[in-house]
Amino acid sequence: MAAETHKDELIWIPKEDEEERARVDIYKYIFGFVEMAVVKCAIELGIADAIESHGRPMSLLELSSALGCAAPALLRIMRFLTNRKLFKEIRINENIQDSEQPSLYAQTALSRLILRSGEKSMATFVLMESSPPMLAPWHGLSARVKTEVDDSSAPSPFEVANGKDVWSYAAANPGHSQLINEAMACNARVTVAAILDGCLDVFDGIGTIVDVGGGNGTALRMLVSACPWIRGINFDLPHVVSVALKSEGVEHVGGDMFKFVPKADAAFLMSVLHDWEDDECIQILKKCREAIPENKGKVIMVECVIEENNNNVEEKHEELELKDVGLFLDMVMIAHTNKGKERTLEDWAYVLAQAGFNRYNIRAINAIYSIIEAFPN
């Protein structure tokens, strides 16, 4: 039976092909954790950093010597990582087809994202999500889904696993708090660069901006640097801003966004509202509304917008993958927060309206997030 394809319809796969694919695909879920674990291993060993410092591709012996690793085990790690396209394997003599033929290992665009430092590094984000406190909650995902039906106040899987919610745990564990702040800074560097590249006009006419939940100030530092006419206020919990980066044009203010938000022309929230349920989001947005001018103020949110019932089969592969990350993040919200979630367009319309923002627009950027501009009148 031949597969039939119709424009704007699903592609039907013959049953026997579907079953054959399923027998292979199931192993992706059985061993799905392996990719994260091996990439974490690569970051901890400093594989990408060693090759980058060397200035050229490295042989296995050079790499094992630089890292102080056993060559046989490292060979197996590199075989896995090159198979996943994280590093590139270069045969010294392409004419010799021999498994014993020495190879050189080279960087790729992907491996440079796991350098332990640099403006594009995502290494700390990987280390944060793969840390024991963040991994333990995943074992309680099904229990959370069951208890949520009967008890809306049930603790999150993170709280069950670690004894405190994620914010209280971070406050009590400075090392984990620093890991979270640095991981969010990784994400901020990538996302703010995309905002500045695609939506710089969002900041036109803004004299002061308050970054609500701004962490260590990375996002605001980048915004103020690109828009020097703006004075920035980095607003977060006191224990967070106490270790924030000092930056020209940025003032750090500690406080609770559920109680007040410092006055500014615009409020900026990046990956903040998805941590909270609707009523909490509405409360935060109302505090932001109180902080900005009624006539010319606005709230700028950087959040995922989950699209449902998308049948556009001609959509670019990269765009589909970016949306898929939003679904991953939605699962993270179940595991790591009490009632957080990624929201659909309809969800966003509801919380904005309830907070007094009946006028808004949503703009796509080259990132997993969208820009939502909300106006108080």
Side-chain angles (χ1 to χ4, degrees):
M1 175 181 174
E4 297 180 3
T5 304
H6 301 283
K7 184 176 176 58
D8 296 331
E9 294 181 11
L10 294 174
I11 298 175
W12 296 100
I13 302 173
K15 183 178 180 181
E16 57 271 23
D17 291 353
E18 184 180 4
E19 291 177 349
E20 183 177 344
R21 181 180 296 178
R23 286 194 292 271
V24 174
D25 284 350
I26 189 61
Y27 286 100
K28 296 177 183 178
Y29 303 101
I30 293 171
F31 298 117
F33 68 94
V34 172
E35 283 187 327
M36 173 187 271
V38 179
V39 172
K40 179 184 182 182
C41 173
I43 293 169
E44 291 174 337
L45 292 175
I47 295 174
D49 302 271
I51 298 174
E52 190 76 5
S53 297
H54 196 66
R56 60 177 175 80
M58 299 179 73
S59 69
L60 178 67
L61 290 178
E62 289 175 326
L63 194 54
S64 63
S65 176
L67 300 175
C69 294
L74 183 60
L75 172 64
R76 294 159 67 186
I77 294 291
M78 295 306 295
R79 181 171 60 194
F80 181 90
L81 293 171
T82 54
N83 181 260
R84 306 312 301 159
K85 312 299 183 187
L86 209 83
F87 293 94
K88 183 178 181 181
E89 184 178 10
I90 304 170
R91 292 284 182 181
I92 295 175
N93 190 336
E94 293 289 352
N95 296 321
I96 300 177
Q97 299 300 319
D98 185 346
S99 61
E100 299 300 320
Q101 170 71 7
S103 298
L104 299 176
Y105 297 105
Q107 297 277 59
T108 65
L110 189 53
S111 69
R112 287 192 171 93
L113 294 181
I114 62 167
L115 289 167
R116 287 187 284 197
S117 62
E119 285 298 305
K120 295 183 179 180
S121 172
M122 296 292 280
T124 310
F125 208 154
V126 176
L127 295 178
M128 187 266 286
E129 290 293 351
S130 60
S131 66
M134 297 307 234
L135 283 181
W138 291 103
H139 294 289
L141 197 62
S142 59
R144 171 62 174 177
V145 175
K146 288 181 179 180
T147 57
E148 196 171 62
V149 175
D150 302 318
D151 183 7
S152 60
S153 64
S156 69
F158 186 96
E159 192 170 349
V160 172
N162 296 293
K164 300 176 185 289
D165 65 53
V166 65
W167 316 118
S168 301
Y169 184 89
N173 294 270
H176 188 70
S177 179
Q178 182 180 354
L179 188 62
I180 291 176
N181 291 333
E182 290 178 357
M184 294 303 98
C186 287
N187 194 45
R189 284 190 289 267
V190 173
T191 306
V192 173
I195 295 170
L196 296 175
D197 184 55
C199 296
L200 185 60
D201 60 295
V202 166
F203 305 101
D204 287 349
I206 295 175
T208 56
I209 190 167
V210 54
D211 187 352
V212 181
N216 69 4
T218 296
L220 202 52
R221 174 179 58 82
M222 293 178 68
L223 287 176
V224 171
S225 177
C227 308
W229 62 88
I230 293 178
R231 181 177 68 84
I233 303 168
N234 183 50
F235 181 62
D236 211 315
L237 294 168
H239 77 270
V240 175
V241 297
S242 67
V243 293
L245 307 169
K246 294 188 183 302
S247 180
E248 185 177 352
V250 175
E251 175 190 2
H252 299 293
V253 176
D256 183 344
M257 63 186 173
F258 288 101
K259 295 179 179 178
F260 80 99
V261 170
K263 299 285 186 182
D265 295 333
F268 181 80
L269 302 96
M270 184 164 66
S271 300
V272 170
L273 297 177
H274 71 166
D275 291 326
W276 307 97
E277 66 171 329
D278 287 352
D279 287 346
E280 293 166 323
C281 277
I282 293 165
Q283 187 178 348
I284 295 167
L285 286 168
K286 283 182 175 179
K287 293 302 177 185
C288 290
R289 194 174 189 275
E290 293 172 5
I292 61 176
E294 184 72 23
N295 57 339
K296 63 174 184 177
K298 66 178 174 180
V299 176
I300 305 165
M301 291 151 282
V302 185
E303 296 278 358
C304 286
V305 179
I306 301 295
E307 294 191 23
E308 297 181 315
N309 303 319
N310 179 28
N311 294 318
N312 183 6
V313 296
E314 295 182 350
E315 189 161 19
K316 292 181 181 179
H317 177 67
E318 294 84 357
E319 292 175 351
L320 290 172
E321 288 190 330
L322 285 174
K323 290 174 184 174
D324 203 37
V325 176
L327 298 178
F328 275 97
L329 280 171
D330 194 36
M331 297 300 99
V332 173
M333 292 302 103
I334 298 178
H336 289 168
T337 71
N338 286 70
K339 297 179 183 178
K341 64 179 180 180
E342 302 302 337
R343 291 176 166 83
T344 64
L345 181 58
E346 184 178 342
D347 294 330
W348 281 117
Y350 171 76
V351 297
L352 289 170
Q354 292 300 307
F357 295 93
N358 293 310
R359 187 164 64 92
Y360 64 89
N361 60 60
I362 298 177
R363 300 170 64 173
I365 57 173
N366 187 26
I368 62 176
Y369 306 106
S370 295
I371 300 292
I372 305 172
E373 289 180 279
F375 306 89
N377 54 33

